[in-house]
Amino acid sequence: MANFIKNVNMRSIRRILTPVFFIINILLSAYAFADQLTASVDRDTISIQDTFTLTVSADSRVSSKPDFSSLQHDFEILSNNESQYTSISNNGTEFKKIWQLTLAPKREGSLLIPSFTVDKTVSDAIEIKVTKQSQTSPSGDDPVRVAMELSKNTVYVQEQIHLKIQIVSKVNLSQTQMQPLELKNAIVIPLEDKPKQFISVINGRQHLIEEQNFAIFPQESGELVIPSLIYSVVPSAERDLWNDPFGRSRSNVLRLPTEEQRITVKPVPTEAAGKSWLPANNLSINETWSASLDRLKMGEPVTRTITISADGLTGGQIPPLATAATDGLTFYPDQPQNTDKKTTKGIEGTRVETTAIIPNHGGEFTLPEVKLEWWDVNEQVMKTASLPAKTINVIGDAKSDASLAPSAPANQAQVTSEPDVTVVGTEKLNPWLLAGSIIFGVLSLILGVYALSLRSRLKVLENRVDDAHEIISEKEKHIWDLLKHAAANKDAPALRKNVLSWARFQWPDASIHALDDVAKLGGKIELTQALKKLDELLYSNHPSDDWQPNQLLQLLNECRKERNVKKKSEGLKPLYTD
């Protein structure tokens, strides 16, 4: 009886403890796997055009996920899929969260997949060896191939190179992506916002062409290397609705490498040493005027617009034209405008310089010839583009007319002698005295008429000078109002522009292109410091919010008042009034 009771108790204890041990085993196995983060690849040796799969797994209850952004330095991430599953075995229950990434190498050599961290657990780094691309050249039988074409293999520094890359496909493509073209010692400008596609017939069969064009400007002499670029393309195919219901599979991705290109970049030739270096296919200079140059009026502005066009240069490469001062003319240059026109052959740059010219007095003025030297890349010689000298005729401030002289009579009348007549009580009239009186009267009349004419002309000239002063004064007032408005709004770029425009009225004979020129002409330490503060504000990456332009405005206003005082002391009409 005692043995029976003992056996019953043992069976009861086993029934109670068995599920308890089972639960404990599950919990212990779960915690055993919780601290594991593993990373693996399906292949660790590949060629540059191959892809491979990276698998990272962790416990499904992790609160974060790996950061894969560090992979983008050496690899292109073609896909990133996340999944999770639960597995029960004799060793316990395993909960897993898995990330599978399809990767493609960006370069050859020994690459490293870095360690990843999830909830303080760290995976191991993995080394990937990437070999050169297959030496088998693409043939016309390939369904998809890539081609690269360079306009030149030898150029001068800063000369344009045209690069064309094409995908030629016999099948439709659902997706294409090219590795970015980046060069260390050259400027690369895409000539299209996106690749263009068109159909071309090759060997009697239609082919889909996707084309990208680039303009490359090498900045240093030596050898410029365009590395092999990888084109990832996905041919169109029917979707496997069972294995890939959402169309995310990237197993049909083709990676097509281009061939490496090497370009010889020569330094500036000796013929161009010390001159402006502008290597171009063609360069021209044209000009337009806002009015005819034959009968300009004193004090009225005329606008000259010069356009420089260069095939093979950007607008930023074209330098400003040299300008020479001309006595009697005041120049007010506007901000130059640079534009670039992109074509399938390259860049066509344009620089437009606009200048307002105000004649200070009448007469004939000659503007000197405008020249710009450039290098013809086709003929390999220096050339000069030019505008001929221009003559301007200004009405006003006329010179004095030549004095009028009495003309002699055409025929001299014969004088006949007559007998003297004696008059009682009178003296004989002297003929020389009579002739002198007549001549004196005629000269007095002529001088009187000339004096009246001269006075009238001087009055007209004075009125024209006053009109010219009023025109300049009105323009100065308008610019001063714009300057004050920019200061009130704390608009630093507009304030700088209007300060320069106003200064050209304040000091018309000076050459003013920067705020430093205004500071030197102002001759005040406070003004120099205020203008320097404005420049620092414009070019600083951390502009100050507490900038107050009122002091600068007061200092500039003092310069205006001093200018008026100087004009009055010289007996001239003030240029402007407050």
Side-chain angles (χ1 to χ4, degrees):
M1 185 67 180
N3 291 333
F4 174 77
I5 295 174
K6 183 178 180 180
N7 291 334
V8 171
N9 290 336
M10 290 297 295
R11 286 196 296 268
S12 299
I13 292 172
R14 287 176 182 174
R15 289 175 183 175
I16 296 173
L17 293 180
T18 297
V20 173
F21 283 131
F22 180 75
I23 294 173
I24 293 174
N25 187 32
I26 291 177
L27 294 175
L28 291 176
S29 62
Y31 282 107
F33 287 105
D35 294 333
Q36 294 183 5
L37 179 66
T38 61
S40 62
V41 294
D42 59 345
R43 292 184 298 162
D44 59 6
T45 301
I46 59 174
S47 65
I48 186 64
Q49 68 263 42
D50 292 340
T51 63
F52 66 99
T53 301
L54 168 66
T55 302
V56 179
S57 61
D59 181 74
S60 63
R61 291 169 296 183
V62 294
S63 58
S64 60
K65 61 181 180 179
D67 181 9
F68 296 117
S69 60
S70 58
L71 288 170
Q72 297 178 352
H73 178 69
D74 291 326
F75 302 94
E76 181 182 356
I77 301 176
L78 302 179
S79 67
N80 183 358
N81 298 320
E82 181 180 340
S83 61
Q84 58 184 357
Y85 75 93
T86 302
S87 174
I88 301 176
S89 64
N90 294 331
N91 295 326
T93 304
E94 182 180 1
F95 302 93
K96 285 286 185 181
K97 183 175 288 187
I98 297 177
W99 294 269
Q100 282 191 326
L101 293 85
T102 303
L103 304 179
K106 291 183 177 180
R107 58 184 178 87
E108 301 170 5
S110 180
L111 309 182
L112 188 68
I113 294 178
S115 300
F116 304 107
T117 302
V118 175
D119 291 352
K120 298 182 180 181
T121 59
V122 182
S123 66
D124 294 330
I126 303 174
E127 183 181 7
I128 303 294
K129 294 182 179 180
V130 182
T131 61
K132 292 184 179 181
Q133 65 189 61
S134 173
Q135 298 300 318
T136 304
S137 59
S139 64
D141 296 332
D142 294 329
V144 185
R145 57 187 175 90
V146 63
M148 177 184 289
E149 180 181 336
L150 280 174
S151 60
K152 297 178 180 180
N153 292 318
T154 302
V155 295
Y156 285 99
V157 63
Q158 296 182 354
E159 180 182 344
Q160 177 182 253
I161 305 168
H162 175 233
L163 172 64
K164 179 170 66 177
I165 302 177
Q166 285 186 337
I167 291 180
V168 183
S169 177
K170 297 179 181 179
V171 297
N172 291 328
L173 302 175
S174 62
Q175 185 176 349
T176 61
Q177 183 179 4
M178 190 186 78
Q179 181 181 349
L181 175 58
E182 298 176 351
L183 303 177
K184 290 184 178 180
N185 300 323
I187 298 174
V188 180
I189 302 177
L191 298 179
E192 299 100 1
D193 294 333
K194 60 180 181 179
K196 59 181 181 180
Q197 294 184 347
F198 55 92
I199 301 296
S200 179
V201 178
I202 303 175
N203 296 328
R205 181 174 177 177
Q206 287 188 342
H207 288 70
L208 174 65
I209 309 295
E210 180 174 289
E211 180 178 293
Q212 285 185 279
N213 293 275
F214 300 89
I216 302 174
F217 296 89
Q219 300 300 299
E220 295 181 3
S221 58
E223 186 178 55
L224 177 65
V225 178
I226 300 178
S228 174
L229 303 175
I230 302 297
Y231 239 122
S232 300
V233 299
V234 180
S236 298
E238 294 184 2
R239 183 185 304 171
D240 187 345
L241 297 179
W242 180 259
N243 295 321
D244 185 23
F246 301 103
R248 295 181 297 182
S249 175
R250 300 296 298 268
S251 59
N252 57 344
V253 174
L254 299 179
R255 289 173 51 79
L256 307 175
T258 64
E259 293 184 2
E260 180 181 87
Q261 303 289 332
R262 295 181 178 271
I263 302 169
T264 301
V265 182
K266 298 186 291 185
V268 177
T270 55
E271 300 94 315
K275 302 177 182 179
S276 58
W277 176 239
L278 299 172
N281 296 310
N282 187 34
L283 190 144
S284 61
I285 303 180
N286 298 290
E287 67 175 346
T288 58
W289 293 83
S290 61
S292 174
L293 304 183
D294 295 334
R295 295 180 62 83
L296 297 178
K297 294 182 180 180
M298 181 186 66
E300 292 187 1
V302 61
T303 301
R304 184 188 197 185
T305 302
I306 299 178
T307 302
I308 310 166
S309 301
D311 181 7
L313 294 174
T314 63
Q317 289 179 273
I318 303 174
L321 295 173
T323 56
T326 302
D327 292 338
L329 299 178
T330 303
F331 297 85
Y332 297 98
D334 199 358
Q335 189 74 16
Q337 302 295 323
N338 295 330
T339 57
D340 293 332
K341 179 183 177 182
K342 297 180 180 180
T343 70
T344 56
K345 298 297 182 182
I347 298 288
E348 295 179 4
T350 302
R351 179 184 176 90
V352 179
E353 296 188 2
T354 304
T355 305
I357 304 174
I358 299 180
N360 299 326
H361 58 78
E364 185 177 274
F365 304 91
T366 300
L367 298 177
E369 181 183 18
V370 177
K371 294 182 179 180
L372 185 61
E373 293 182 301
W374 61 285
W375 178 263
D376 190 326
V377 298
N378 298 314
E379 300 182 12
Q380 300 288 294
V381 293
M382 286 294 295
K383 291 186 176 181
T384 302
S386 62
L387 292 174
K390 290 290 181 182
T391 300
I392 299 178
N393 293 310
V394 180
I395 301 173
D397 202 8
K399 296 181 180 180
S400 301
D401 294 336
S403 299
L404 298 176
S407 57
N411 296 318
Q412 185 71 30
Q414 294 183 352
V415 180
T416 57
S417 59
E418 295 182 358
D420 294 339
V421 178
T422 302
V423 180
V424 178
T426 62
E427 296 182 354
K428 183 178 179 181
L429 184 62
N430 190 338
W432 294 105
L433 180 61
L434 178 61
S437 300
I438 295 173
I439 292 173
F440 179 77
V442 172
L443 290 176
S444 299
L445 179 62
I446 292 173
L447 290 175
V449 172
Y450 178 74
L452 292 175
S453 175
L454 182 60
R455 181 179 179 183
S456 176
R457 292 182 181 182
L458 289 175
K459 184 65 176 178
V460 171
L461 179 60
E462 183 180 352
N463 291 336
R464 289 181 177 176
V465 172
D466 291 341
D467 292 342
H469 276 286
E470 290 179 3
I471 292 173
I472 297 176
S473 177
E474 288 299 324
K475 292 182 178 180
E476 191 277 341
K477 287 180 181 178
H478 176 66
I479 294 178
W480 181 255
D481 290 339
L482 294 177
L483 191 152
K484 291 194 296 183
H485 181 73
N489 293 332
K490 294 186 178 181
D491 187 350
L495 181 58
R496 181 184 186 276
K497 177 182 178 182
N498 290 313
V499 166
L500 292 175
S501 299
W502 170 82
R504 295 186 181 107
F505 280 96
Q506 180 77 4
W507 298 282
D509 297 330
S511 178
I512 300 174
H513 301 285
L515 294 182
D516 287 342
D517 300 330
V518 181
K520 292 176 183 177
L521 293 169
K524 296 180 180 180
I525 298 177
E526 297 84 355
L527 179 60
T528 301
Q529 293 174 346
L531 292 173
K532 183 178 180 181
K533 178 70 174 178
L534 176 58
D535 256 341
E536 291 176 352
L537 185 71
L538 286 168
Y539 299 109
S540 173
N541 293 327
H542 304 285
S544 175
D545 295 332
D546 58 352
W547 172 62
Q548 297 294 335
N550 294 334
Q551 182 187 8
L552 174 59
L553 193 63
Q554 293 174 0
L555 293 170
L556 294 176
N557 195 33
E558 291 177 5
C559 292
R560 295 180 84 226
K561 293 179 180 179
E562 292 173 359
R563 176 77 169 173
N564 269 348
V565 171
K566 183 178 179 181
K567 284 285 185 180
K568 291 178 181 178
S569 65
E570 294 174 353
L572 301 175
K573 184 177 179 180
L575 179 62
Y576 38 75
T577 58
D578 293 332

